[in-house]
Amino acid sequence: MIIIYCLVTLLTFLGMEGITWLTHKYVMHGFLWYLHKDHHNPEGHLFEKNDAFFLIFAIPSWLCIMLGLQHQLYYTASIGFGIALYGLAYFIVHEVIIHQRLKWLSRSNNKYIRTIRWAHKMHHKHLNKEEGESFGMLLVAKKYWDKVNKDQALQKVNSNS
């Protein structure tokens, strides 16, 4: 039975990428833009109004875990753990790797890290809520991979010259 709960956790984690994409495109760049705006137009503060979105995902995760464990609803708790694990991955990718709020991986030359950074940079080139691109976090479109591959090939050619 533990395998099934682990599978539910994993599927929830994977599904959160889609939920995050939809939330980012239609909620953060939609009716709650006033909370997300300072993320695209930073004001130099340690915390942003945008950080409130943490609660949008943390509260359901916490409730699923707490109520699921209290009432032996382990599928519900597994969903909560999947959301929480995605939240941890989001924090590491978005706050540490991309925006470097903590300087842990600031000099990484890993292709995946370079690709997600480029995709996010393209997202942030739009300073308003319209005409955005790249709303996901962990999965990025092929065009960003192609850009990073092209850059690496050019670097290789230039270093061999």
Side-chain angles (χ1 to χ4, degrees):
M1 207 56 179
I2 189 92
I3 302 272
I4 292 175
Y5 298 133
C6 290
L7 185 61
V8 169
T9 299
L10 177 63
L11 290 173
T12 301
F13 176 90
L14 296 173
M16 285 303 297
E17 181 69 8
I19 291 168
T20 298
W21 189 95
L22 290 167
T23 302
H24 193 178
K25 182 165 176 66
Y26 296 109
V27 175
M28 296 166 102
H29 281 257
F31 66 94
L32 289 181
W33 172 251
Y34 70 93
L35 286 177
H36 187 58
K37 182 179 180 180
D38 67 348
H39 184 62
H40 284 265
N41 302 292
E43 299 172 0
H45 303 291
L46 177 62
F47 293 104
E48 303 170 342
K49 285 186 246 171
N50 182 69
D51 295 332
F53 285 105
F54 163 78
L55 296 174
I56 289 173
F57 294 104
I59 290 172
S61 172
W62 164 68
L63 287 172
C64 285
I65 293 168
M66 180 185 70
L67 295 173
L69 293 178
Q70 282 180 345
H71 300 285
Q72 290 83 41
L73 301 170
Y74 299 119
Y75 289 107
T76 303
S78 298
I79 291 168
F81 285 122
I83 296 169
L85 289 172
Y86 187 86
L88 176 62
Y90 182 93
F91 173 79
I92 292 168
V93 169
H94 189 260
E95 303 304 328
V96 176
I97 293 173
I98 293 173
H99 289 290
Q100 299 178 12
R101 282 176 141 174
L102 302 170
K103 306 289 185 197
W104 294 342
L105 299 168
S106 60
R107 296 193 177 266
S108 176
N109 202 25
N110 177 279
K111 189 184 286 190
Y112 174 71
I113 289 175
R114 289 179 61 201
T115 303
I116 60 173
R117 280 184 176 157
W118 181 254
H120 205 73
K121 183 176 184 170
M122 292 300 95
H123 175 75
H124 275 270
K125 78 178 182 179
H126 304 283
L127 299 178
N128 53 32
K129 71 180 190 175
E130 291 85 20
E131 300 177 14
E133 63 181 281
S134 188
F135 293 98
M137 182 53 49
L138 302 178
L139 301 175
V140 295
K142 183 181 179 302
K143 69 180 181 178
Y144 303 114
W145 286 98
D146 292 345
K147 158 67 165 100
V148 169
N149 286 330
K150 182 179 174 187
D151 288 350
Q152 280 187 324
L154 284 173
Q155 283 179 337
K156 197 173 193 177
V157 166
N158 290 339
S159 69
N160 290 335
S161 300

